[in-house]
Amino acid sequence: MEHLLEIDQLKTYYFTDCGIVKAVDGVSFSVEKGQCLGIVGESGCGKSQTALSIMGLVSKPQGRIVSGKILYRDKKGHITDLATLSPNGYEYRSIRGKEIAMIFQEPISSLSPVYTIGDQIVEALIEHTTLSKKEATHRAVELLKTVGIPAAEERIHDYPHQLSGGMCQRAMIAMALSCEPRLLIADEPTTALDVTIQLQILRLLKELQERLSMGLMMITHDLGVIAEIADYVIVMYLGKVVEKGPVRKILREPKHPYTQGLLQSRPSGTAGKVRLNPIRGVVPSAIDPPAGCPFSTRCPKVLDKCSAFPPFALWEEGHAAACWLYENFM
Amino acid sequence: MNDKEDQILLEVENLRKYFAVKHGVLRRKKGWLKAVDGVSFELFRGETLGLVGESGCGKSTTGRIILRLIKPEPNSQIFFHDNDKVIDIAKATPQELKYLRTRMQIIFQDPYSSLNPWMKIGEIIAEPLLIHKIMVGKELTNKVHSLLEMVGLDASYAMRYPHEFSGGQRQRIGIARALALNPTLVVCDEPVSSLDVSVQAQVINLLVDLQERLHLSYIFIAHDLGVVRYISRRVAVMYLGRIVEIGSTEEIFHNPAHPYTEALLSSMLSTDPDSSKERLQLEGDVPSPINVPSGCPFHPRCRYYQQNKWPECVSDIPTPTSIYSDTHKVSCHFAPNLNLCGVETEGTVKIGVKNGFNT
Ligand SMILES: Nc1ncnc2c1ncn2[C@@H]1O[C@H](COP(=O)(O)OP(=O)(O)OP(=O)(O)O)[C@@H](O)[C@H]1O
Ligand SMILES: Nc1ncnc2c1ncn2[C@@H]1O[C@H](COP(=O)(O)OP(=O)(O)OP(=O)(O)O)[C@@H](O)[C@H]1O
Ligand code: SF4
Ligand SMILES: [Mg+2]
Ligand SMILES: [Mg+2]
């Protein structure tokens, strides 16, 4: 298949006073057109840094993509390695926000408080398209309607603080969609929202992804969100991909002890009769990760050979887990 | 269920809290924000009551009033049944308040900002004991160490600072501090919301263990319905400052009687990729508590009102009424006529009136 985006052995490191933080440490995956890829993992495992690397927004001067490829295939079929582009150069700017858009983890911080939401969407449209101001305004209203903001004609005159959290999040989505991106990266877009609004937003994203045949990368720590929206999933731990596969495989037949642990820690069913089964211990520091399998310090099934990094074991439908418990290596 | 569990600890009656606000485009209109508007419930000894509802519906305000961190409107009553006496928290004297502070504690959502970064862990945990002049010296040190061990932390951590700990560890420190004075009631305000699932599970297990050992009563505020269902014996569902439904966890999750509860349950996500793709989607946002809709506050978003346009829903405020059992109460004019869907309930959602109108 010809991938929309292919990440190959991406490494994004932060060079800090305390040492090197290997935020993303050899991650590979691909995103297809019209498909939703879910990225799941605990806080600090490198989900946002993976996304920011794709957007060319790794914070300078400490952070840097040290190696790996980010291959993006444009409309005409040209493949560009984004990792080699200058983040502020013309080429990146013509892709970022236009062909690849992102909904950031903190919604409020990416909408400017001093401009109305209408102005912000219109500005994005004028920058990235050939629309006139009048056409862009018309389009902004349409977009706000698409994302389910009632009375959009009036709402475009509102400032972000006049909107509820869910409305702001929808305005953000409208802005991200303004230029009809081919790939949308959504970084925890519903974490701060009520469950009822969360469901509205997830439904909306799924519908848009299917209708516009867009690639969608959904970053979350919630396996419930994954079950609701993802087609294919990668599970990250300490900067590395530990398991990947179709959503049903990952949720029904998880192979990696970390994925199994995540699923077992979720409370299910009624009142505390069965004790929850949390993963023991804490995530080690990203500055000083364990040698070998990153999960070895907490894994209930750890073996001697886990002190070496495990290759991916493979099952049908591209289901793979980096774990020494299995022998079906490539 | 033993006798002790059925002893009432707290009786909350007609709790109200209005905040004076300026609103409108120019912030010139004065008005009242009805954060809590007539909440009544009981809490039994040793039980966990879950409090759920959308953001801004008044959960935290309810918890904070009970602890008297804020003062309720006149006529609100909160009877605290202590060993041999009953104190109305709403009208407590300063002396009673001081005593109550040793009986009730709160655990906050954010383990990062709720601990003073300049104090050592030991000092943070010892602080309430010092303020209330309970103990000093060697006895205090021993108590701090035993509290740390009780929440599964090493006693040596007493000498370290909050920034050296992870979110889950900080939340344990917050719990140790809350338990220092041997309270009977602990309000847990989103205690695990900011934690990762695996850490969340550790903290939930700890809260359950401590409850059993110390016979604590919890008011457990959370928006994660999975967590609430797991930890609570009873659940109260709030909407716009009111409790719209209350009942045992079983009753609420399997047999919801309020259309809002039904919608809330329907938006619960599960890890089954094929689970109910047929969800009821609740349209619209929570209305502002400054302009509460007339009649039933839920009517603008209620699918059953939308279909049937019952005039009562717009004209009369529904009051809590028993349904299905004595312990299960709902505030909806048409609850007996509706056939609502709970979690894991078989069959399809039946819409509209089942038995015709109630008169
Ligand atoms: N500016 C920075 N300087 C140093 N380290 C950083 C910086 N930004 C991120 N990191 C580190 O990179 C690692 C990955 O962070 P990232 O934000 O990608 O995690 P995440 O998976 O998105 O977590 P969360 O679920 O909390 O958003 C973490 O260990 C983090 O501390
Ligand atoms: N000190 C205050 N002054 C004015 N309004 C307030 C104050 N405290 C709370 N409110 C308002 O009262 C309402 C209820 O707030 P509360 O914090 O109790 O909600 P909540 O149910 O805990 O919500 P969340 O789930 O977001 O924590 C909200 O509309 C809030 O904006
Ligand atoms: S009283 Fe009417 S509007 Fe309110 S929940 Fe019941 S049916 Fe719906
Ligand atoms: Mg992140
Ligand atoms: Mg709150």
Side-chain angles (χ1 to χ4, degrees):
Chain A
M1 199 187 301
E2 296 190 325
H3 311 300
L4 180 59
L5 182 80
E6 188 181 354
I7 309 280
D8 184 28
Q9 287 300 319
L10 178 70
K11 293 189 180 181
T12 303
Y13 291 179
Y14 278 84
F15 299 86
T16 70
D17 295 341
C18 311
I20 301 173
V21 180
K22 298 179 176 177
V24 181
D25 196 19
V27 162
S28 304
F29 61 87
S30 59
V31 187
E32 318 301 333
K33 231 179 132 196
Q35 187 204 52
C36 175
L37 172 78
I39 302 188
V40 69
E42 284 179 89
S43 185
C45 70
K47 305 181 295 296
S48 296
Q49 289 304 323
T50 303
L52 294 173
S53 303
I54 298 168
M55 295 295 285
L57 296 174
V58 175
S59 17
K60 299 265 165 173
Q62 288 181 326
R64 205 164 72 220
I65 296 180
V66 295
S67 68
K69 294 196 183 92
I70 304 173
L71 302 173
Y72 171 67
R73 184 186 184 83
D74 69 14
K75 271 193 209 94
K76 298 191 194 97
H78 289 307
I79 294 175
T80 319
D81 183 357
L82 301 181
T84 61
L85 300 185
S86 154
N88 298 317
Y90 169 78
E91 233 181 322
Y92 225 129
R93 279 187 293 147
S94 69
I95 294 175
R96 186 195 305 138
K98 192 174 175 195
E99 301 200 15
I100 307 180
M102 177 158 169
I103 303 167
F104 292 89
Q105 197 163 358
E106 293 95 32
I108 309 296
S109 64
S110 39
L111 284 174
S112 163
V114 295
Y115 295 103
T116 65
I117 54 166
D119 285 347
Q120 297 187 48
I121 298 175
V122 168
E123 196 193 331
L125 283 167
I126 291 175
E127 192 183 323
H128 293 297
T129 64
T130 55
L131 295 180
S132 69
K133 175 127 199 233
K134 199 167 159 218
E135 289 165 332
T137 309
H138 187 73
R139 179 100 184 93
V141 172
E142 254 173 35
L143 280 163
L144 291 174
K145 281 188 181 151
T146 315
V147 298
I149 293 188
E153 293 86 352
E154 291 155 36
R155 286 297 186 163
I156 59 166
H157 303 300
D158 281 354
Y159 291 89
H161 73 88
Q162 292 171 301
L163 303 176
S164 70
M167 288 283 180
C168 258
Q169 197 59 281
R170 270 179 258 187
M172 285 268 311
I173 295 173
M175 200 151 92
L177 292 175
S178 62
C179 304
E180 297 183 2
R182 302 177 63 235
L183 174 65
L184 178 64
I185 303 176
D187 191 358
E188 309 262 13
T190 58
T191 309
L193 302 177
D194 281 317
V195 283
T196 49
I197 315 289
Q198 162 166 292
L199 188 64
Q200 291 174 9
I201 301 273
L202 292 179
R203 283 288 157 88
L204 172 70
L205 283 171
K206 189 78 193 161
E207 185 211 310
L208 293 169
Q209 172 233 310
E210 280 165 6
R211 188 150 53 88
L212 308 175
S213 177
M214 192 171 65
L216 177 62
M217 230 173 99
M218 171 62 76
I219 296 177
T220 178
H221 62 261
D222 186 348
L223 289 163
V225 171
I226 291 288
E228 188 71 25
I229 193 169
D231 301 306
Y232 198 84
V233 183
I234 67 174
V235 183
M236 286 183 72
Y237 187 80
L238 265 184
K240 292 190 158 73
V241 176
V242 294
E243 182 159 1
K244 53 188 168 185
V247 66
R248 278 180 185 71
K249 293 278 175 191
I250 299 285
L251 294 175
R252 296 242 173 88
E253 302 158 42
K255 299 291 185 189
H256 199 283
Y258 175 63
T259 318
Q260 292 170 349
L262 273 186
L263 275 160
Q264 280 167 13
S265 340
R266 264 180 73 104
S268 60
T270 349
K273 299 316 161 223
V274 189
R275 263 180 84 78
L276 294 180
N277 190 5
I279 303 172
R280 61 181 185 182
V282 293
V283 185
S285 147
I287 291 182
D288 189 19
C293 172
F295 191 56
S296 56
T297 54
R298 303 171 75 192
C299 182
K301 299 175 182 162
V302 63
L303 312 165
D304 284 342
K305 55 183 167 182
C306 299
S307 56
F309 191 78
F312 275 101
L314 281 183
W315 292 266
E316 65 277 19
E317 297 177 53
H319 186 187
C323 174
W324 285 117
L325 290 175
Y326 307 98
E327 263 144 26
N328 43 331
F329 296 117
M330 301 192 238
Chain B
M1 216 180 297
N2 59 36
D3 290 347
K4 231 180 164 185
E5 265 186 50
D6 279 345
Q7 285 174 10
I8 287 184
L9 178 68
L10 205 62
E11 268 175 291
V12 176
E13 272 170 38
N14 197 20
L15 200 66
R16 288 171 203 272
K17 180 69 198 176
Y18 298 171
F19 292 107
V21 287
K22 291 191 179 136
H23 62 109
V25 187
L26 298 171
R27 311 259 143 209
R28 283 211 189 122
K29 272 195 264 176
K30 283 193 187 140
W32 293 101
L33 185 154
K34 300 182 175 176
V36 176
D37 198 14
V39 159
S40 305
F41 64 88
E42 288 158 348
L43 180 72
F44 297 95
R45 270 178 208 280
E47 79 162 347
T48 300
L49 174 71
L51 210 52
V52 299
E54 281 164 297
S55 182
C57 69
K59 305 180 294 294
S60 298
T61 307
T62 303
R64 299 167 68 92
I65 298 173
I66 290 168
L67 292 174
R68 266 300 293 275
L69 298 172
I70 42 182
K71 207 169 160 39
E73 303 304 314
N75 299 332
S76 304
Q77 293 179 315
I78 312 163
F79 296 112
F80 183 77
H81 294 250
D82 210 356
N83 302 326
D84 44 2
K85 56 187 172 212
V86 181
I87 304 174
D88 183 354
I89 299 177
K91 300 187 184 63
T93 61
Q95 211 171 0
E96 282 173 326
L97 267 186
K98 188 160 184 245
Y99 170 72
L100 285 167
R101 300 252 180 274
T102 68
R103 309 293 292 141
M104 308 187 295
Q105 286 294 326
I106 187 160
I107 301 169
F108 291 104
Q109 166 171 13
D110 188 355
Y112 294 91
S113 59
S114 58
L115 303 178
N116 183 338
W118 310 111
M119 285 167 72
K120 286 184 188 151
I121 302 308
E123 293 166 351
I124 291 174
I125 296 174
E127 199 181 26
L129 293 160
L130 286 168
I131 291 175
H132 289 276
K133 303 195 177 67
I134 311 265
M135 53 181 79
V136 287
K138 187 76 190 141
E139 195 190 357
L140 180 63
T141 316
N142 288 341
K143 175 77 181 173
V144 167
H145 288 177
S146 74
L147 282 164
L148 277 170
E149 276 158 13
M150 190 166 76
V151 296
L153 295 175
D154 197 276
S156 68
Y157 288 2
M159 301 308 289
R160 292 163 64 178
Y161 289 91
H163 74 258
E164 297 172 53
F165 295 95
S166 71
Q169 287 172 320
R170 286 185 220 209
Q171 200 54 289
R172 284 167 191 265
I173 295 164
I175 294 170
R177 179 188 155 99
L179 297 181
L181 297 168
N182 297 327
T184 49
L185 169 64
V186 182
V187 173
C188 307
D189 193 353
E190 310 262 10
V192 295
S193 310
S194 62
L195 305 175
D196 273 319
V197 260
S198 74
V199 186
Q200 210 175 63
Q202 294 171 357
V203 174
I204 292 171
N205 275 348
L206 174 66
L207 287 170
V208 171
D209 289 349
L210 292 171
Q211 175 167 52
E212 269 169 30
R213 263 172 63 195
L214 309 172
H215 207 63
L216 299 169
S217 307
Y218 292 142
I219 292 179
F220 194 95
I221 300 171
H223 55 238
D224 184 332
L225 295 168
V227 170
V228 169
R229 183 180 182 200
Y230 177 80
I231 204 164
S232 309
R233 188 174 77 122
R234 290 189 308 135
V235 175
V237 182
M238 285 186 75
Y239 189 78
L240 276 180
R242 302 197 181 130
I243 291 181
V244 295
E245 183 166 4
I246 187 167
S248 73
T249 306
E250 277 291 303
E251 288 167 334
I252 296 289
F253 280 83
H254 288 282
N255 246 333
H258 197 284
Y260 175 64
T261 312
E262 181 188 46
L264 206 58
L265 294 177
S266 178
S267 30
M268 234 174 121
L269 300 178
S270 93
T271 53
D272 177 1
D274 296 321
S275 78
S276 67
K277 292 293 171 194
E278 275 303 308
R279 293 180 190 279
L280 295 172
Q281 197 166 318
L282 188 57
E283 300 295 336
D285 285 340
V286 197
S288 149
I290 300 174
N291 295 310
V292 178
S294 69
C296 169
F298 185 58
H299 85 258
R301 296 170 83 194
C302 176
R303 55 196 280 120
Y304 304 102
Y305 167 72
Q306 297 304 340
Q307 278 153 12
N308 301 289
K309 299 289 175 197
W310 292 309
E312 289 91 328
C313 298
V314 188
S315 57
D316 300 333
I317 300 178
T319 49
T321 314
S322 290
I323 185 158
Y324 310 138
S325 80
D326 293 346
T327 51
H328 191 175
K329 293 205 173 69
V330 63
S331 300
C332 164
H333 296 301
F334 295 95
N337 306 107
L338 303 172
N339 185 5
L340 306 184
C341 240
V343 292
E344 291 151 21
T345 341
E346 291 291 313
T348 49
V349 190
K350 296 210 183 110
I351 291 168
V353 184
K354 193 169 54 175
N355 305 317
F357 282 91
N358 252 9
T359 41

Coordinates of all heavy atoms in Angstrom, one line a residue, chain A residues 193-239:
Chain A
L193 N -12.7 17.1 28.3 CA -14.1 17.3 28.1 C -15.0 16.3 28.9 O -14.6 15.3 29.2 CB -14.5 17.2 26.6 CG -13.7 18.2 25.7 CD1 -14.0 17.9 24.3 CD2 -14.0 19.6 26.1
D194 N -16.3 16.7 29.1 CA -17.3 15.9 29.6 C -17.5 14.6 28.7 O -17.4 14.8 27.5 CB -18.6 16.6 29.8 CG -18.6 17.5 30.9 OD1 -18.1 17.1 32.0 OD2 -19.1 18.6 30.8
V195 N -17.9 13.5 29.4 CA -18.1 12.3 28.6 C -19.1 12.5 27.4 O -19.0 12.0 26.3 CB -18.6 11.1 29.4 CG1 -17.4 10.5 30.1 CG2 -19.7 11.5 30.4
T196 N -20.2 13.3 27.7 CA -21.2 13.5 26.7 C -20.6 14.3 25.5 O -20.9 14.0 24.3 CB -22.4 14.2 27.2 OG1 -22.0 15.4 27.9 CG2 -23.2 13.4 28.2
I197 N -19.8 15.3 25.8 CA -19.2 16.1 24.7 C -18.1 15.3 24.1 O -17.9 15.4 22.8 CB -18.6 17.4 25.3 CG1 -19.5 18.1 26.3 CG2 -18.2 18.4 24.2 CD1 -20.7 18.7 25.7
Q198 N -17.4 14.5 24.8 CA -16.3 13.7 24.3 C -16.9 12.8 23.2 O -16.3 12.7 22.1 CB -15.8 12.8 25.4 CG -15.0 11.6 24.9 CD -14.2 10.9 25.9 OE1 -13.2 11.4 26.4 NE2 -14.5 9.7 26.3
L199 N -18.0 12.2 23.4 CA -18.6 11.3 22.4 C -19.0 12.1 21.2 O -18.8 11.7 20.1 CB -19.9 10.6 23.0 CG -20.5 9.5 22.1 CD1 -19.5 8.4 21.9 CD2 -21.7 9.0 22.7
Q200 N -19.6 13.3 21.4 CA -19.9 14.2 20.2 C -18.7 14.4 19.3 O -18.7 14.3 18.1 CB -20.5 15.5 20.7 CG -21.9 15.5 21.3 CD -22.3 16.9 21.9 OE1 -21.6 17.8 21.6 NE2 -23.3 16.9 22.6
I201 N -17.6 14.8 20.0 CA -16.4 15.1 19.3 C -15.8 13.9 18.5 O -15.4 14.0 17.4 CB -15.3 15.8 20.2 CG1 -15.9 17.0 20.9 CG2 -14.0 16.0 19.5 CD1 -15.8 18.3 20.2
L202 N -15.8 12.8 19.2 CA -15.2 11.6 18.6 C -16.1 11.2 17.4 O -15.5 10.8 16.3 CB -15.2 10.4 19.6 CG -14.2 10.5 20.7 CD1 -14.3 9.3 21.7 CD2 -12.8 10.7 20.2
R203 N -17.4 11.3 17.5 CA -18.3 10.9 16.4 C -18.0 11.9 15.2 O -17.9 11.5 14.1 CB -19.7 11.1 16.8 CG -20.2 10.0 17.7 CD -20.4 8.8 16.8 NE -20.3 7.5 17.5 CZ -21.4 6.9 18.1 NH1 -22.6 7.5 18.0 NH2 -21.2 5.8 18.8
L204 N -17.8 13.1 15.6 CA -17.6 14.1 14.6 C -16.3 13.9 13.8 O -16.2 13.9 12.6 CB -17.5 15.5 15.2 CG -17.1 16.7 14.4 CD1 -18.2 17.0 13.4 CD2 -16.8 17.9 15.2
L205 N -15.2 13.6 14.6 CA -13.9 13.3 13.9 C -14.0 12.1 13.0 O -13.5 12.1 11.9 CB -12.8 13.1 15.0 CG -12.3 14.4 15.7 CD1 -11.4 14.1 16.8 CD2 -11.6 15.3 14.7
K206 N -14.7 11.0 13.5 CA -14.8 9.8 12.7 C -15.5 10.1 11.4 O -15.1 9.6 10.4 CB -15.5 8.8 13.6 CG -15.5 7.4 13.0 CD -14.2 6.7 13.2 CE -14.0 5.4 12.3 NZ -12.6 5.0 12.2
E207 N -16.6 10.8 11.6 CA -17.4 11.1 10.4 C -16.7 11.9 9.4 O -16.7 11.6 8.2 CB -18.7 11.8 10.8 CG -19.7 12.1 9.7 CD -20.4 13.4 10.0 OE1 -21.0 13.6 11.1 OE2 -20.5 14.2 9.0
L208 N -15.9 12.9 9.8 CA -15.1 13.8 8.9 C -14.0 13.0 8.3 O -13.8 13.1 7.1 CB -14.6 14.9 9.7 CG -15.6 16.0 10.2 CD1 -14.9 16.9 11.2 CD2 -16.2 16.7 9.0
Q209 N -13.4 12.1 9.1 CA -12.3 11.3 8.5 C -12.8 10.4 7.4 O -12.2 10.3 6.4 CB -11.7 10.4 9.7 CG -10.7 9.4 9.2 CD -11.1 8.1 9.7 OE1 -11.3 7.9 10.9 NE2 -11.1 7.1 8.8
E210 N -14.0 9.8 7.6 CA -14.5 9.0 6.6 C -15.0 9.8 5.4 O -14.7 9.4 4.2 CB -15.7 8.1 7.1 CG -15.2 6.9 7.9 CD -16.2 6.2 8.8 OE1 -17.4 6.6 8.7 OE2 -15.8 5.3 9.6
R211 N -15.7 10.9 5.6 CA -16.3 11.7 4.5 C -15.2 12.3 3.7 O -15.3 12.3 2.5 CB -17.2 12.7 5.1 CG -18.0 13.4 4.1 CD -19.4 13.9 4.6 NE -19.2 14.7 5.9 CZ -19.1 16.0 5.9 NH1 -19.0 16.7 4.8 NH2 -19.0 16.6 7.0
L212 N -14.2 12.8 4.3 CA -13.1 13.6 3.6 C -12.0 12.6 3.2 O -11.0 13.0 2.7 CB -12.6 14.7 4.4 CG -13.6 15.7 5.0 CD1 -12.9 16.7 5.9 CD2 -14.4 16.4 3.8
S213 N -12.1 11.3 3.6 CA -11.1 10.3 3.3 C -9.7 10.8 3.8 O -8.7 10.7 3.1 CB -11.1 10.0 1.8 OG -10.2 9.1 1.5
M214 N -9.8 11.3 5.0 CA -8.6 11.9 5.6 C -7.8 10.9 6.4 O -8.5 9.9 6.9 CB -9.2 13.0 6.5 CG -8.3 14.0 7.1 SD -9.3 15.3 8.0 CE -10.1 14.3 9.3
G215 N -6.5 11.0 6.6 CA -5.8 10.2 7.5 C -6.0 10.8 8.9 O -5.9 12.1 9.0
L216 N -6.3 10.0 9.9 CA -6.4 10.6 11.3 C -5.5 9.9 12.2 O -5.5 8.7 12.3 CB -7.9 10.4 11.7 CG -8.3 10.9 13.1 CD1 -8.1 12.4 13.3 CD2 -9.8 10.6 13.4
M217 N -4.8 10.7 13.0 CA -3.9 10.1 14.0 C -4.4 10.6 15.3 O -4.4 11.8 15.7 CB -2.5 10.7 13.8 CG -1.4 9.7 13.8 SD 0.2 10.6 13.3 CE 0.9 10.7 14.9
M218 N -5.0 9.6 16.1 CA -5.6 10.0 17.4 C -4.7 9.6 18.5 O -4.4 8.4 18.8 CB -7.0 9.2 17.5 CG -7.7 9.3 18.8 SD -8.1 10.9 19.3 CE -9.5 11.2 18.2
I219 N -4.3 10.6 19.3 CA -3.4 10.3 20.4 C -4.2 10.4 21.7 O -5.0 11.3 21.9 CB -2.3 11.4 20.5 CG1 -1.4 11.3 19.2 CG2 -1.5 11.3 21.7 CD1 -0.4 12.4 19.1
T220 N -4.1 9.3 22.5 CA -4.9 9.3 23.7 C -4.2 8.4 24.7 O -3.4 7.6 24.4 CB -6.3 8.8 23.4 OG1 -7.1 8.7 24.6 CG2 -6.3 7.4 22.8
H221 N -4.6 8.5 26.0 CA -4.2 7.5 27.0 C -5.3 6.6 27.3 O -5.2 5.7 28.2 CB -3.6 8.2 28.2 CG -4.6 9.0 29.0 ND1 -4.6 10.4 28.8 CD2 -5.6 8.7 29.8 CE1 -5.6 10.8 29.5 NE2 -6.2 9.8 30.1
D222 N -6.5 6.8 26.7 CA -7.7 6.1 27.1 C -8.0 5.0 26.0 O -8.4 5.3 24.9 CB -8.8 7.2 27.1 CG -10.1 6.6 27.7 OD1 -10.2 5.3 27.7 OD2 -11.0 7.3 28.0
L223 N -8.0 3.8 26.5 CA -8.3 2.7 25.6 C -9.7 2.7 25.2 O -10.1 2.2 24.1 CB -8.0 1.4 26.3 CG -6.5 1.1 26.5 CD1 -6.2 0.0 27.5 CD2 -5.8 0.7 25.1
G224 N -10.6 3.4 25.9 CA -12.0 3.5 25.5 C -12.1 4.4 24.3 O -12.9 4.1 23.4
V225 N -11.3 5.4 24.2 CA -11.3 6.3 23.0 C -10.8 5.5 21.8 O -11.4 5.6 20.7 CB -10.4 7.5 23.2 CG1 -10.2 8.3 21.9 CG2 -11.0 8.4 24.3
I226 N -9.8 4.7 22.0 CA -9.2 3.8 21.0 C -10.3 2.9 20.4 O -10.5 2.8 19.2 CB -8.0 3.0 21.5 CG1 -6.8 3.9 21.9 CG2 -7.6 1.9 20.6 CD1 -6.1 4.5 20.7
A227 N -11.0 2.2 21.3 CA -12.1 1.3 20.9 C -13.1 2.0 20.1 O -13.7 1.4 19.2 CB -12.7 0.6 22.1
E228 N -13.4 3.3 20.4 CA -14.5 4.0 19.8 C -14.1 4.4 18.4 O -14.9 4.4 17.5 CB -14.8 5.2 20.6 CG -16.0 6.0 20.2 CD -17.3 5.3 20.5 OE1 -17.4 4.4 21.4 OE2 -18.3 5.5 19.8
I229 N -12.8 4.7 18.1 CA -12.5 5.4 16.9 C -11.4 4.8 16.0 O -11.4 5.0 14.8 CB -12.2 6.9 17.2 CG1 -12.2 7.8 16.0 CG2 -10.9 7.0 18.0 CD1 -12.1 9.2 16.3
A230 N -10.5 4.1 16.6 CA -9.3 3.7 15.9 C -9.5 2.4 15.0 O -10.3 1.6 15.3 CB -8.1 3.4 16.8
D231 N -8.8 2.4 13.9 CA -8.8 1.2 13.0 C -7.6 0.4 13.3 O -7.6 -0.9 13.3 CB -8.8 1.6 11.5 CG -10.0 2.4 11.2 OD1 -11.1 2.0 11.4 OD2 -9.8 3.5 10.6
Y232 N -6.5 1.1 13.6 CA -5.2 0.4 13.8 C -4.6 1.1 15.0 O -4.8 2.3 15.2 CB -4.4 0.7 12.5 CG -3.2 -0.3 12.4 CD1 -3.3 -1.6 11.9 CD2 -1.9 0.1 12.8 CE1 -2.3 -2.4 11.8 CE2 -0.8 -0.7 12.7 CZ -1.0 -2.0 12.2 OH 0.1 -2.8 12.1
V233 N -3.8 0.4 15.8 CA -3.3 1.0 17.0 C -1.8 0.8 17.2 O -1.3 -0.3 16.9 CB -4.0 0.3 18.2 CG1 -3.6 1.0 19.5 CG2 -5.5 0.4 18.1
I234 N -1.1 1.8 17.7 CA 0.2 1.5 18.2 C 0.3 1.8 19.7 O -0.3 2.8 20.2 CB 1.4 2.2 17.5 CG1 1.3 3.7 17.6 CG2 1.4 1.9 16.0 CD1 2.5 4.4 17.0
V235 N 0.9 1.0 20.5 CA 1.0 1.2 21.9 C 2.5 1.6 22.2 O 3.4 0.9 21.8 CB 0.7 -0.1 22.7 CG1 0.8 0.1 24.2 CG2 -0.6 -0.7 22.3
M236 N 2.6 2.7 22.9 CA 4.0 3.2 23.2 C 4.3 3.1 24.7 O 3.4 3.2 25.5 CB 4.1 4.7 22.8 CG 4.2 4.9 21.3 SD 4.5 6.6 20.8 CE 6.2 6.9 21.3
Y237 N 5.6 2.9 24.9 CA 6.1 2.9 26.3 C 7.5 3.4 26.3 O 8.3 2.9 25.5 CB 6.0 1.4 26.9 CG 6.3 1.4 28.3 CD1 5.3 1.7 29.3 CD2 7.6 1.0 28.8 CE1 5.6 1.6 30.6 CE2 7.9 1.0 30.2 CZ 6.9 1.3 31.1 OH 7.2 1.2 32.4
L238 N 7.7 4.4 27.1 CA 9.1 5.0 27.2 C 9.8 5.3 25.9 O 10.9 4.9 25.6 CB 10.0 4.1 28.0 CG 10.1 4.3 29.5 CD1 11.1 3.4 30.1 CD2 10.6 5.8 29.8
G239 N 9.0 6.0 25.0 CA 9.6 6.4 23.7 C 9.7 5.3 22.7 O 10.2 5.6 21.6

